[in-house]
Structures are given as C-alpha cells and as structure tokens.
Amino acid sequence: MSDSHSDGGDCTPHRTAVTEAEVEALVRGICFKTGPPRTLGVELEWLVHSLELPQLPVTPEQLEAVYATLRAVPLVSALTVEPGGQLELSSQPASSLTECVETVSADLDTVRAVLAEDGLGLTGIGHDPWHTPRRFLREPRYDAMEACLDRTGPAGRHMMCTSASVQVCVDAGHEEPGPLGHARRWWLAHQLGAVLVAAFANSPLLGLRPTGWQSTRQLMWMEIGAGRAGGPPLTGEPRDAWTRHALDSPVMCVRRDSGPWEVPEGLTFREWTRTRSLGPPTRADLDYHLTTLFPPVRPRGHLELRMIDAQPGEDGWLVPLAVTAALFDDPEAAETAYRTVKPLAERARNQPAPHNPLWTAAARHGLADPELREAADGCFAAAQEALPRLGATTRVTDAVAAFRDRYVARGRCPADDLLDRLPALDPHRTRPGASGGTTAHGRKDIRT
C-alpha cells in the first residue's frame, strides 16, 4: 500500500492489521536490542518559570512566543514541549559520556539565552511547587490522555502538566550473561532505580505545602496505577515479561483521523487483537500503545530510566547522568552496584516497581531511609571510581563528588533543601510543625 511504511529492521506494514501472535513477535523483537553497550542518552524535562518571580504563572501567549523562537534555533538535541508547557531536550545517542554532556550543555546554553531574552528560565524541580496543573497543549493525544488518566484521580494531570525529570537512556546490553548482560541490566535498573529515586528526590512540595514525600513526582506516578505506570515482574526472561506486560496493559486511546479519539475502558491490547471491537489493530496502533506505557524502566530497544526527578542548578542534571552511566557501562562498577543493591531486593517482596515497599520508601523518605542511604553511598563510591575510566571530565567528576558530599554522605537529598528554603519560596508561609497528620519526619502527609 502506498501509505504503508515500516520501522527499522522489520517489514511489517504499519497500516496492516496484526494478530496476537504477530504482536508478541513484534514486541519481543523491538524491546531489547542487544550488543556491547556503546551509546548513552539523556532526556531533560524542565519547568519554565519567570526569572524574577517564579511563583507567577507564565501565560500561554508567552510560552507560544518563546517556543516559536526556539524552534527556529539550530540545536543538536531534539526540542519538544510537554502538555503543561514544560520544555524537554532529548539528546542524540552519544558514543561517550563526554560527548553527551558537551552536546547537551551547548544546547542548554542556547535555550537559556533565548528564554532569558523574554525574562524566562529553566527550573530543575521534580514537581512544580507553586502552580496547579494547567494544560498548555490542546491536541487529541493529550485530550485522550487526560480523559484516560482522570479515571484514576488527579495524579495524571500532575504528571502531564507540573512534573519534570531527568531520564537516562543506556543500551540494553549483551545477549550473554554477565555484568553487562541485558538480563542483569534489566534487573539492576529496577533495584538501583529505587536508590536513584531516593538520592535524587527533589519534589517535596505541592501548592507550597510539604506532601510528606521527598519525591511527590514519584508518588504521582504510583497513583496513576500499575497498568499505566507500572513495570512487569522481574521473574523470568525480560523479553517475555515485558511482552506479556505490554499486551495485558490497557489501551489508552484509539486514534481517529477526525474528531476526538476513543478512550476505551479496561480494554487490553491483547483483548483488542482478539475481539477487534474497535476495528482490527495495526502495527501503528501497537507502536503508539507502547508509547502510552510509562513504567519506571521502559525498554525501547535501549533502556529508558524514567524515575529521576529534575535536578536543581544549571549542572544538576550531570550527576544522575554520570552516576547512571558509570554504574551501567563500567563492568567493575556494574558488578559493585549489583552486589550493593541486591540486599534491597527483599524489600520489594517480588512486587513490580514502582508499586512495592522498596520504591514507596524511596519516594517517601529519600536517603533518610538507612538502607537506601548505605546503598547510595556504595553506588556513588563505585561511580566515582569508574568515571575516570569512562573518560569523564573534571567538571563531571567534581559535580558527582560535590553531590555525594552534600547529600549522600549526610543522608539528604535535594528535596531537603527545598523544605529548608520553604519560607523563602513563600514569605507568607512558614514551614509547618508536627500538627495536622504528620509523617515520621514531622511533615504533613498531603495526598492528592
């Protein structure tokens, strides 16, 4: 057909109906592309605020104008806009940590300069502490997403419109076993992921009130539900586990050429292939379905680690990128990380991330949790030793060392700084005491 096209190495036409068996084969074929780890990537989401008064909302007209200017600026990274107006820079696959850092840094300098001309800046916080969710993009995809996520409560709108993250992308790894094998890296991503949540937690506020969670952003992801934002069990072969999970997850929406998209309730992709109740699904429908699944570790040929809050400061994003790269791509550091986080697996109770006790503790307590603090210190030590072997620059190694000294060694995370600064963030409000339903840390536990 003239309007058919194919993707990558397979020749399945996108507009041809697919059977359940074909879908299983396609997912298995595209989720893990194995081989020696050679490339690295990062996706940086940022909140866009006024440089002078970040508590004042930026108008849609301001965002539209500045984003139109940015689209005309040559960048190496891909620039996209999230539903609430957050800005995202996605690097190209880089052959080294240094290449990734230098390329993205140059693009960020360009973006910041353009924004500053309009009095705007990039803010690295996992969840907007000032503003309530407000849609900036009005497109059928986001209309359908909002309708779907609203069924589980308000968390979906927070995720869409007021959250920001650092997403690190690493290669799937070798087909064969070992520290850099894909099965080990898949397992490590889910156990180390809890440590990364705790160490980089940076979203303790909602409406300038402490939520009782160091990573409110991670809380929002958990509240969206396991079918949309959960991962598969870690038992069995990774391809099999992910394929079952993808097919048995609910369909978010069915795209239409005109008018609103359909938002079915409770229909899994597997059921759609069997019943064809909304018309026969195609390869394009499968590809789209996979983009509507938001597990903390998403296999897209490579592994996309999605659990890290956006970080403060111009260079804050360097630290999770460098630490993750070292722990995944340096064989010695990968083995140390595996041994370090292995005892934490018992706390997960064989339940998929992030809906298990380990991940809940990481999001709620950060590095105030003694076991997570110990694991983080071991992993950061291994990363620091490995970074020179990966050719990291002094800028990167100094940033990791400074973060370890300021936070990890003291059982703190960036969220603690925000809580300490709360009076400055809102001069009309003081940090609350222990009254009104507090957590173990003496902070109010305010759920959405």
Side-chain angles (χ1 to χ4, degrees):
M1 295 174 61
S2 60
D3 58 351
S4 297
H5 63 283
S6 61
D7 178 64
D10 68 77
C11 57
T12 305
H14 274 56
R15 296 180 182 269
T16 299
V18 288
T19 66
E20 182 179 351
E22 289 171 332
V23 167
E24 289 181 341
L26 285 166
V27 176
R28 284 181 57 83
I30 64 178
C31 58
F32 292 89
K33 302 290 188 183
T34 53
R38 291 196 178 101
T39 59
L40 177 71
V42 68
E43 300 175 19
L44 303 178
E45 296 174 344
W46 300 89
L47 304 172
V48 178
H49 287 147
S50 165
L51 286 172
E52 294 292 331
L53 297 170
Q55 66 270 30
L56 296 180
V58 180
T59 67
E61 293 75 18
Q62 283 178 288
L63 289 178
E64 288 173 359
V66 75
Y67 288 162
T69 302
L70 279 174
R71 291 187 185 99
V73 174
L75 300 171
V76 177
S77 306
L79 184 145
T80 54
V81 179
E82 295 296 298
Q86 311 97 307
L87 187 145
E88 178 177 309
L89 276 179
S90 301
S91 74
Q92 299 297 318
S95 61
S96 68
L97 173 61
T98 298
E99 178 188 337
C100 187
V101 168
E102 290 179 350
T103 301
V104 175
S105 295
D107 286 343
L108 278 172
D109 288 344
T110 300
V111 169
R112 287 193 173 102
V114 171
L115 292 174
E117 291 179 0
D118 282 0
L120 302 176
L122 301 176
T123 302
I125 301 178
H127 187 281
D128 195 318
W130 294 284
H131 307 123
T132 57
R134 181 190 62 174
R135 283 267 303 283
F136 170 68
L137 297 180
R138 295 290 172 181
E139 300 174 3
R141 167 183 170 87
Y142 297 121
D143 292 343
M145 181 182 292
E146 185 176 271
C148 176
L149 297 179
D150 277 352
R151 291 170 178 161
T152 57
R157 296 195 181 204
H158 284 270
M159 178 275 288
M160 292 174 64
C161 300
T162 52
S163 70
S165 68
V166 175
Q167 299 176 16
V168 182
C169 299
V170 297
D171 284 334
H174 291 283
E175 187 69 27
E176 300 78 13
L180 302 185
H182 78 283
R184 171 76 71 85
R185 288 161 77 87
W186 177 246
W187 184 93
L188 179 63
H190 287 85
Q191 306 304 337
L192 178 63
V195 178
L196 298 177
V197 169
F200 297 111
N202 188 36
S203 51
L205 304 173
L206 192 148
L208 286 178
R209 299 179 67 189
T211 64
W213 294 72
Q214 297 290 70
S215 178
T216 302
R217 173 184 167 273
Q218 187 59 50
L219 169 65
M220 298 302 174
W221 282 111
M222 290 189 290
E223 291 192 338
I224 289 171
R228 184 65 52 201
L234 294 183
T235 55
E237 204 278 328
R239 289 186 180 90
D240 293 339
W242 176 252
T243 299
R244 285 193 299 270
H245 180 76
L247 266 68
D248 292 332
S249 293
V251 174
M252 174 178 283
C253 55
V254 179
R255 296 170 296 173
R256 300 302 184 200
D257 292 333
S258 61
W261 295 0
E262 291 189 52
V263 185
E265 188 165 6
L267 177 71
T268 69
F269 202 92
R270 189 186 303 278
E271 291 168 339
W272 189 11
T273 64
R274 291 175 177 178
T275 66
R276 305 195 169 198
S277 57
L278 300 173
T282 66
R283 167 65 192 275
D285 291 320
L286 172 63
D287 290 345
Y288 186 78
H289 171 66
L290 295 176
T291 71
T292 67
L293 303 180
F294 309 119
V297 183
R298 186 162 62 177
R300 306 185 67 184
H302 56 273
L303 301 183
E304 184 181 83
L305 279 68
R306 303 170 50 84
M307 72 290 294
I308 303 168
D309 281 358
Q311 295 297 290
E314 291 192 0
D315 283 349
W317 60 277
L318 294 176
V319 181
L321 171 63
V323 169
T324 304
L327 298 179
F328 274 85
D329 291 349
D330 180 84
E332 184 178 336
E335 184 62 31
T336 299
Y338 173 76
R339 294 196 305 268
T340 300
V341 303
K342 192 172 183 179
L344 296 176
E346 293 184 5
R347 293 179 62 181
R349 299 178 186 172
N350 290 322
Q351 298 173 19
H355 302 89
N356 65 48
L358 175 63
W359 280 67
T360 299
R364 183 186 284 274
H365 303 306
L367 294 187
D369 182 291
E371 289 183 288
L372 286 165
R373 175 183 178 179
E374 182 180 0
D377 193 55
C379 288
F380 268 73
Q384 279 187 263
E385 293 179 4
L387 283 170
R389 295 194 293 268
L390 295 179
T393 63
T394 302
R395 173 191 176 195
V396 172
T397 57
D398 286 352
V400 172
F403 188 98
R404 185 185 178 194
D405 291 343
R406 179 171 181 172
Y407 298 114
V408 180
R410 301 169 62 197
R412 288 172 62 89
C413 55
D416 290 301
D417 288 352
L418 284 172
L419 291 167
D420 292 342
R421 291 174 49 217
L422 186 53
L425 294 174
D426 182 4
H428 303 293
R429 189 190 303 274
T430 58
R431 183 169 177 172
S435 62
T438 59
T439 69
H441 297 287
R443 297 168 188 157
K444 291 185 178 180
D445 189 2
I446 302 168
R447 300 293 289 264
T448 53

